[in-house]
Amino acid sequence: DYTDELLKIDRFHVGQFAYLVERMAGVEEADGSTLLDNTIFTYGSGLGDGATHQYSDLPIIVAGSGGGKLATGSHLACPDGTPLANLWLTQAQAVGLPRNRFADSAATLEELQKS
């Protein structure tokens, strides 16, 4: 059983993500926004449970709004069966890539897009 070791590794990685988010939030851009405001910084896994290799209930964190294109400050619980590729498509469109599909995407995540 390697649970304790895995928890240490997970805590380290999440700590590094938080550290970088804080640093980016502290870098002011010329227009008064921050580096984090103008970034999409994603951390997570393609597996919800590595032991069983299931790919639902994925632990994903998205920080930054991509220059105001993404809504922030919320928790999304996507319906069962929502492809992870929907997130990647949403982010690609937010940074200006003219894509209508990515991998097995079915749509963009409207609740993540700023209206």
Side-chain angles (χ1 to χ4, degrees), residues 9-19 43 61:
I9 293 168
D10 287 345
R11 285 186 185 111
F12 172 78
H13 288 139
V14 169
Q16 293 301 297
F17 180 81
Y19 169 76
Y43 173 77
I61 302 170

Side-chain angles (χ1 to χ4, degrees), residues 2-113:
Y2 297 101
T3 303
D4 289 339
E5 289 82 3
L6 289 172
L7 286 172
K8 287 178 187 175
I9 293 168
D10 287 345
R11 285 186 185 111
F12 172 78
H13 288 139
V14 169
Q16 293 301 297
F17 180 81
Y19 169 76
L20 289 171
V21 167
E22 288 177 14
R23 292 291 306 266
M24 289 190 293
V27 176
E28 188 172 336
E29 303 275 22
D31 64 0
S33 64
T34 68
L35 177 60
L36 182 60
D37 293 331
N38 296 303
T39 299
I40 300 173
F41 189 33
T42 306
Y43 173 77
S45 174
L47 292 175
D49 180 354
T52 61
H53 291 93
Q54 61 88 6
Y55 52 92
S56 59
D57 299 324
L58 301 179
I60 307 286
I61 302 170
V62 177
S65 67
K69 303 287 178 146
L70 299 181
T72 61
S74 63
H75 175 267
L76 303 180
C78 296
D80 285 345
T82 301
L84 178 57
N86 287 7
L87 172 62
W88 307 138
L89 177 63
T90 304
Q91 292 181 349
Q93 288 182 2
V95 298
L97 294 174
R99 306 271 323 218
N100 293 321
R101 292 194 49 80
F102 177 79
D104 66 342
S105 64
T108 57
L109 299 176
E110 292 183 23
E111 57 269 52
L112 187 58
Q113 296 169 316

